[in-house]
Amino acid sequence: KALKNSEIVIKGASHITGGGFYENIPRMLPEGVKAVINKNSYGIPAIFKMLSVDGDINEDTMYNTYNMGIGMVLAVDETDADKALSVIHQSGYQAFVIGDIRNGEKGVTLC
């Protein structure tokens, strides 16, 4: 709510639930752009690592089925990213810059 009430324009939002990254993030994107997510930009909770190893689940399936520790993805202008992080952190939540938007076929690329 604090972010919504700030001067920052939220350009897109995606709740990462069943369907994970590959299905949910593209729903907020217009045609002609893709989200490029840096897998090393945040710590993946141990439960997901355990599920992957013990369940012999490949990475694509893990990102498509589970949220991998990310509950919500917000798109803001790059120039507002630091301010958005500050507002979110001051509200008591964790937040990370996990990627960016680039020209390309609508979808998600993990790197």
Side-chain angles (χ1 to χ4, degrees):
K1 187 174 180 179
L3 187 61
K4 182 179 178 252
N5 293 333
S6 74
E7 297 177 6
I8 299 167
V9 175
I10 300 171
K11 296 184 173 192
S14 179
H15 186 222
I16 309 302
T17 58
F21 284 67
Y22 297 117
E23 293 177 30
N24 294 326
I25 294 173
R27 292 181 182 142
M28 73 173 176
L29 300 174
E31 293 298 328
V33 297
K34 65 180 178 177
V36 178
I37 306 297
N38 178 351
K39 297 181 292 187
N40 296 319
S41 60
Y42 68 99
I44 296 174
I47 186 71
F48 297 111
K49 294 174 184 177
M50 185 272 305
L51 284 171
S52 177
V53 172
D54 290 355
D56 192 27
I57 303 170
N58 68 45
E59 183 178 74
D60 283 343
T61 301
M62 289 297 298
Y63 276 91
N64 194 49
T65 304
Y66 302 105
N67 68 12
M68 302 302 284
I70 300 296
M72 175 76 66
V73 172
L74 300 174
V76 300
D77 193 277
E78 183 177 12
T79 60
D80 287 332
D82 287 338
K83 185 176 178 183
L85 287 174
S86 178
V87 170
I88 293 167
H89 290 153
Q90 288 174 12
S91 297
Y93 295 96
Q94 286 188 316
F96 313 92
V97 174
I98 64 168
D100 58 85
I101 305 298
R102 301 180 191 174
N103 290 329
E105 184 178 341
K106 185 176 179 177
V108 175
T109 300
L110 297 172
C111 58

